[in-house]
Amino acid sequence: MSSAIRNRMQLHQQNIQSVLAEVFNHQPISRIEISRNLALNKSTVSALYRDLKEQGYVEELGEGDASNVGGRKPVLLAINRRYGYTMNFDFGYRHLHVMQNSLSGDVLSYRQVDVKGLKIKQILPLIDHELETASAKDNTIHGLLGISFAIHGTVDQNQVTYSPFLDMEHVDLADYYTQNYQVPVLLENEANVSAVYERDFNKENDHLENMVSISIHRGIGAGLIIDQKLHRGAHGEAGEIGRSVSIDGNWDGAPRKVEDYCSEDAIINQIQDEKQASNMTRDDVVRLFNEGDEITKTALDTFVKSVAGIIYNAANNYDPDIVFLNSPLLEVLPELEPRIEEFYAQMAPSIRVPIKLTQNSHHATLLGGCSLVTREALGMEDAKLNFSAQTATI
Amino acid sequence: MSSAIRNRMQLHQQNIQSVLAEVFNHQPISRIEISRNLALNKSTVSALYRDLKEQGYVEELGEGDASNVGGRKPVLLAINRRYGYTMNFDFGYRHLHVMQNSLSGDVLSYRQVDVKGLKIKQILPLIDHELETASAKDNTIHGLLGISFAIHGTVDQNQVTYSPFLDMEHVDLADYYTQNYQVPVLLENEANVSAVYERDFNKENDHLENMVSISIHRGIGAGLIIDQKLHRGAHGEAGEIGRSVSIDGNWDGAPRKVEDYCSEDAIINQIQDEKQASNMTRDDVVRLFNEGDEITKTALDTFVKSVAGIIYNAANNYDPDIVFLNSPLLEVLPELEPRIEEFYAQMAPSIRVPIKLTQNSHHATLLGGCSLVTREALGMEDAKLNFSAQTATI
DNA sequence: GATTAGTTTGTTCAAACAACCAACTCACAA
DNA sequence: TTGTGAGTTGGTTGTTTGAACAAACTAATC
């Protein structure tokens, strides 16, 4: 109610943002095309564009092709490639993933830093080092625009509220980096940023209103896009589907959670126990599976069925247009995916939601974070923005 | 993007609607108060109000009290009580519930019509009769404004897609009543309208962004309010939590659904089977429970634990600000509610969502439908409207 | 000449503003 | 007790403002 547009000034601001969003989403684009897309008069678009150019957000790329029946060539407009950049991090179990992105989401650099076994206070200097390296090489006008962190755990009010494998030791990332770099700093759950990635970086998903991105790593969580918006819930815990318990009339003993049965960790541990092995990794599971090991095949069969069940439950809970699976185990064993589909089809004979695997899950989380923090930097949290994610050199 | 306000005309229309919404939500209210609430100049509000008055939506009620430091008395404005009315129906298993409501949601009449065992084509004439009775007594300007139906089943695109106990025999309610009465006709799932009721008719819930209203009747479903909006999902099947299956590593045999274990029907059938009785009703269960019957106590104990589990899972899935329970069985056995809370507290030791019972679930579904169809009649689907639900006589 | 892209200049109209009137409270004096 | 005037609030009227618009222009192409 109070956020609605009510006077000409607010209307003007919104129209400026609409033009910026058009440039963002369809660059390179001409003024006349923006005018047509937004149903705004071309002189109005020209005026609004002038404002944006004065603020440095946009630039002219040169002339496009004229129409084949004659007429002046359009001037192609785009987001200013030298406006600034964001730095995006993903706290993985083994690696800290680091990505530098341009304002429009192009990948400027990506690298992994080994952090296995390190404590959070040992990781902070590594992050600072990455930020300084990026800053040293930079030649943009405004430099660093924002920092995002993908968290394998829950986040509320920009604070980590639950972190299963990295002890945060009361370190306040948001506070530390806003103090030191004077830019927006954003923490977000890894499944949530993956979902944002699917919404913003994938042109095919452009018209979809509701998406569920299920992450199966050491735990299980879902990122929810509802009405094109990330749904975090009241405490940032929406989509914590791994904590669900079975409702089957049997309440003897403590109820066990979904992720106790079919997270990647649970599967590896199960195989490990049955084979009386230790320190097994995902690669060992792949090797055993390819060798035709029966215990592994049985365990992965259960995994397949459980994932199908999780998808079925998610479809009943959220009724999305599409479900994404974000699982390193499935990335290395893609032959399991058709069997998940098959089993899911058996469970849901009528309406079935399409299932897709997210490729390169680390890129997805970094780019999702990039989208969120870029929006914050631009003050365009709720606009529809399509990012490009081309690997570009400025 | 295309629905955003971009020009003065759209701005003007929106501001008119904002003023109408203010009158709706705070009636009786003065112009100056609207002006303050909306941060619009008082002369602007006066002009916008004039438009609304010309269209008959609003009326002046008389003068209010002057402030205690002096000054002119305000003129109190309200929604025109004689503008029109809506008719709202709930297809229960035993009864057809009928409610006539004023534009601002006041209850003009309510009655139940016995329909147990009747087929849909025998119910239609009863509905027509109700519509005609209301029309005959009516003395409003526009008369019937819209019709809503609460459906115990799923609805997509205003069509019943699944109806567990009433065979729809391909009757198209929306088509039939729009043709015959030339007003908006709206079908909506019963859990969804209950959720809308909690959002729009309960002042305490005014500031809540996310709510889950769990209906436990013959099946189990949840109505979801997410970011103050009803979330229906891609096919109107969001919140069909009763269909969820257990993920516990055991995939022998066909997976059983939540509602096979703890819907009201399931509980009654279980007691019935164990007691080798037949045709048991809810009242029989209450009687047995009060008599201290062990089988009933055990069954209801499982019910309590299962409902706690369902709430726990809903909290993990949606992370709402509040959960409402909508269950006739709990309405007649309110002593079970504290035990649900207790068991839920055991499952979720840290963040716990508040739980409330919806009183008079039939009123809730009818009023929820009233809200939805009234919004449609006013073309204000997305506005924040608070309805009053006072039993009024015009 | 026909067509398209973009600019300039002047118009439009809903919201904001300023000045006003209407109607009230309160304090204080007669 | 009554009357009066200062101060306050609600609402209206007439004017100004400014962002979007429209039309007429220039520019550049087929």
Side-chain angles (χ1 to χ4, degrees):
Chain A
M1 193 86 306
S2 55
S3 69
I5 285 104
R6 291 231 175 66
N7 59 39
R8 274 178 320 215
M9 238 174 59
Q10 291 166 336
L11 181 69
H12 186 61
Q13 285 307 311
Q14 196 205 262
N15 282 345
I16 285 184
Q17 297 219 329
S18 295
V19 170
L20 182 54
E22 278 299 307
V23 176
F24 218 105
N25 297 342
H26 305 293
Q27 57 181 323
I29 189 174
S30 66
R31 282 166 254 244
I32 198 74
E33 210 178 329
I34 296 174
S35 155
R36 281 194 281 259
N37 291 348
L38 296 180
L40 282 172
N41 191 282
K42 57 182 178 171
S43 60
T44 307
V45 171
S46 275
L48 296 171
Y49 177 81
R50 234 184 333 267
D51 273 27
L52 284 168
K53 198 182 167 186
E54 268 168 31
Q55 294 175 72
Y57 290 117
V58 287
E59 62 177 351
E60 274 117 79
L61 286 186
E63 292 185 327
D65 292 335
S67 104
N68 56 359
V69 287
R72 180 173 168 177
K73 283 181 181 169
V75 178
L76 296 179
L77 315 174
I79 297 296
N80 186 348
R81 285 163 300 178
R82 294 182 191 276
Y83 185 81
Y85 65 91
T86 58
M87 291 295 289
N88 305 289
F89 298 88
D90 178 350
F91 284 99
Y93 180 62
R94 294 155 179 245
H95 297 102
L96 174 73
H97 301 260
V98 188
M99 192 181 266
Q100 183 186 7
N101 295 83
S102 75
L103 186 62
S104 45
D106 297 314
V107 180
L108 302 179
S109 75
Y110 168 71
R111 52 194 240 96
Q112 300 180 0
V113 182
D114 199 331
V115 293
K116 190 161 183 212
L118 294 190
K119 298 201 164 192
I120 180 71
K121 283 177 182 160
Q122 298 172 294
I123 299 175
L124 291 183
L126 301 176
I127 294 173
D128 280 313
H129 177 250
E130 292 297 326
L131 290 169
E132 272 145 37
T133 311
S135 179
K137 286 185 189 160
D138 174 59
N139 62 353
T140 62
I141 301 163
H142 294 92
L144 184 64
L145 301 172
I147 306 170
S148 80
F149 295 100
I151 304 293
H152 290 246
T154 55
V155 173
D156 191 24
Q157 322 219 61
N158 237 7
Q159 303 285 322
V160 176
T161 49
Y162 171 69
S163 178
F165 58 80
L166 178 65
D167 184 355
M168 291 305 290
E169 300 173 27
H170 301 289
V171 170
D172 185 336
L173 288 171
D175 185 60
Y176 179 80
Y177 288 102
T178 11
Q179 294 290 330
N180 288 357
Y181 294 88
Q182 314 290 333
V183 292
V185 176
L186 194 136
L187 279 68
E188 187 52 274
N189 167 268
E190 159 270 333
N192 288 352
V193 283
S194 290
V196 169
Y197 163 79
E198 294 295 349
R199 181 192 64 184
D200 292 346
F201 281 86
N202 244 326
K203 286 212 170 65
E204 317 153 41
N205 305 330
D206 206 40
H207 63 289
L208 302 179
E209 297 289 319
N210 304 301
M211 308 181 225
V212 174
S213 177
I214 300 176
S215 278
I216 307 171
H217 293 87
R218 299 175 71 83
I220 297 175
L224 309 175
I225 301 292
I226 292 181
D227 284 340
Q228 305 247 27
K229 283 178 65 180
L230 175 63
H231 175 59
R232 309 189 71 261
H235 316 93
E237 308 221 335
E240 284 294 318
I241 57 176
R243 301 181 187 166
S244 294
V245 296
S246 295
I247 313 282
D248 54 7
N250 175 22
W251 292 98
D252 303 332
R256 287 184 66 194
K257 302 172 197 167
V258 165
E259 59 195 8
D260 295 337
Y261 293 101
C262 68
S263 64
E264 184 172 323
D265 265 29
I267 295 295
I268 295 177
N269 286 337
Q270 186 194 331
I271 297 170
Q272 192 169 272
D273 288 355
E274 289 190 38
K275 295 199 84 73
Q276 297 180 317
S278 62
N279 288 321
M280 275 182 64
T281 66
R282 185 188 308 141
D283 295 335
D284 296 325
V285 172
V286 175
R287 185 178 42 76
L288 284 167
F289 180 77
N290 289 333
E291 286 170 4
D293 178 71
E294 281 304 323
I295 288 173
T296 307
K297 277 169 71 180
T298 311
L300 288 178
D301 194 57
T302 308
F303 175 71
V304 160
K305 290 175 177 169
S306 297
V307 172
I310 288 171
I311 294 169
Y312 177 70
N313 285 351
N316 284 324
N317 274 287
Y318 307 115
D319 189 14
D321 297 297
I322 193 165
V323 167
F324 295 99
L325 288 179
N326 204 306
S327 158
L329 187 58
L330 284 175
E331 266 185 75
V332 291
L333 286 173
E335 56 265 52
L336 298 181
E337 199 266 343
R339 293 177 50 206
I340 292 173
E341 296 246 22
E342 188 188 318
F343 209 77
Y344 168 59
Q346 281 177 37
M347 304 179 84
S350 57
I351 298 176
R352 279 203 297 280
V353 64
I355 302 165
K356 282 194 185 173
L357 295 192
T358 298
Q359 299 302 324
N360 204 339
S361 53
H362 287 299
H363 257 63
T365 52
L366 292 164
L367 290 170
C370 164
S371 165
L372 291 179
V373 76
T374 301
R375 289 159 173 281
E376 208 170 305
L378 292 174
M380 295 178 72
E381 280 85 351
D382 291 335
K384 186 169 176 176
L385 295 183
N386 301 323
F387 290 77
S388 43
Q390 283 148 13
T391 306
T393 38
I394 48 173
Chain B
M1 195 82 311
S2 55
S3 69
I5 285 105
R6 294 231 172 66
N7 58 40
R8 270 181 324 217
M9 237 174 60
Q10 290 167 334
L11 181 69
H12 186 63
Q13 284 308 311
Q14 198 207 263
N15 281 345
I16 285 184
Q17 298 220 328
S18 295
V19 171
L20 183 54
E22 279 297 309
V23 177
F24 218 105
N25 297 342
H26 306 294
Q27 57 181 321
I29 187 174
S30 66
R31 281 167 254 246
I32 198 75
E33 209 179 330
I34 297 173
S35 155
R36 282 195 279 259
N37 291 348
L38 296 179
L40 280 173
N41 191 282
K42 56 182 179 172
S43 58
T44 307
V45 171
S46 276
L48 296 171
Y49 177 81
R50 235 185 333 265
D51 272 28
L52 284 169
K53 197 182 169 187
E54 268 168 31
Q55 293 173 73
Y57 290 117
V58 287
E59 61 178 351
E60 275 118 76
L61 286 187
E63 293 185 326
D65 293 334
S67 103
N68 55 0
V69 288
R72 181 173 168 177
K73 282 181 182 169
V75 179
L76 296 179
L77 316 174
I79 297 296
N80 187 348
R81 284 163 301 178
R82 294 184 190 275
Y83 186 81
Y85 65 91
T86 58
M87 292 295 289
N88 305 289
F89 298 89
D90 178 350
F91 283 100
Y93 179 62
R94 294 156 181 246
H95 297 103
L96 174 72
H97 301 260
V98 187
M99 192 180 265
Q100 183 185 8
N101 296 83
S102 75
L103 186 61
S104 45
D106 296 314
V107 180
L108 303 180
S109 74
Y110 168 70
R111 52 194 242 95
Q112 300 181 358
V113 182
D114 199 330
V115 293
K116 189 160 182 212
L118 294 191
K119 300 205 163 191
I120 180 70
K121 283 177 182 160
Q122 298 172 293
I123 299 175
L124 291 184
L126 301 176
I127 294 173
D128 280 313
H129 177 250
E130 293 296 326
L131 289 169
E132 272 145 37
T133 311
S135 179
K137 286 185 190 161
D138 174 59
N139 62 351
T140 62
I141 301 162
H142 293 93
L144 184 64
L145 301 172
I147 306 170
S148 80
F149 295 100
I151 304 293
H152 290 246
T154 56
V155 173
D156 192 24
Q157 322 221 62
N158 237 7
Q159 303 286 322
V160 177
T161 48
Y162 170 70
S163 178
F165 58 81
L166 178 66
D167 184 354
M168 292 304 290
E169 299 173 29
H170 301 290
V171 170
D172 185 336
L173 288 171
D175 185 60
Y176 179 79
Y177 288 100
T178 11
Q179 294 290 330
N180 288 359
Y181 294 88
Q182 314 291 334
V183 292
V185 176
L186 193 136
L187 281 67
E188 188 52 275
N189 166 269
E190 159 271 330
N192 287 351
V193 283
S194 291
V196 169
Y197 162 79
E198 295 294 349
R199 181 193 64 185
D200 291 347
F201 281 87
N202 244 326
K203 286 211 171 65
E204 319 154 38
N205 305 331
D206 205 41
H207 63 289
L208 302 180
E209 297 289 318
N210 304 301
M211 309 181 222
V212 173
S213 176
I214 300 176
S215 277
I216 306 172
H217 294 88
R218 298 176 71 85
I220 297 175
L224 309 175
I225 301 292
I226 292 181
D227 284 340
Q228 305 246 28
K229 283 178 66 181
L230 176 64
H231 175 58
R232 309 190 70 261
H235 316 93
E237 310 221 335
E240 284 295 320
I241 57 176
R243 299 182 188 166
S244 294
V245 296
S246 296
I247 312 283
D248 54 8
N250 174 21
W251 292 98
D252 302 333
R256 286 184 67 192
K257 302 172 197 167
V258 165
E259 60 195 7
D260 295 338
Y261 293 101
C262 66
S263 65
E264 184 170 324
D265 265 29
I267 295 295
I268 295 177
N269 285 337
Q270 187 194 330
I271 297 169
Q272 190 169 274
D273 288 356
E274 288 189 40
K275 297 198 84 71
Q276 296 179 319
S278 60
N279 288 323
M280 275 182 66
T281 66
R282 187 187 308 141
D283 296 335
D284 296 324
V285 172
V286 175
R287 185 177 43 74
L288 284 168
F289 180 76
N290 290 334
E291 287 169 2
D293 178 69
E294 282 303 322
I295 287 175
T296 306
K297 276 169 73 179
T298 311
L300 288 178
D301 194 56
T302 307
F303 175 71
V304 160
K305 290 175 178 171
S306 297
V307 172
I310 288 172
I311 293 169
Y312 177 70
N313 285 351
N316 284 325
N317 274 288
Y318 306 115
D319 189 14
D321 296 298
I322 193 166
V323 167
F324 295 100
L325 287 180
N326 204 306
S327 158
L329 188 57
L330 284 175
E331 266 185 76
V332 291
L333 287 173
E335 57 264 53
L336 297 182
E337 200 265 343
R339 294 177 51 207
I340 293 173
E341 295 245 23
E342 187 188 319
F343 210 75
Y344 168 59
Q346 282 176 35
M347 304 180 84
S350 58
I351 298 175
R352 279 205 295 279
V353 63
I355 302 165
K356 283 194 185 172
L357 294 192
T358 298
Q359 300 301 325
N360 205 339
S361 54
H362 287 298
H363 257 64
T365 53
L366 292 164
L367 291 171
C370 164
S371 165
L372 290 180
V373 77
T374 301
R375 289 159 175 280
E376 208 170 307
L378 293 174
M380 295 179 70
E381 280 85 350
D382 291 335
K384 186 168 176 175
L385 295 182
N386 301 324
F387 290 77
S388 42
Q390 284 148 13
T391 307
T393 37
I394 49 174

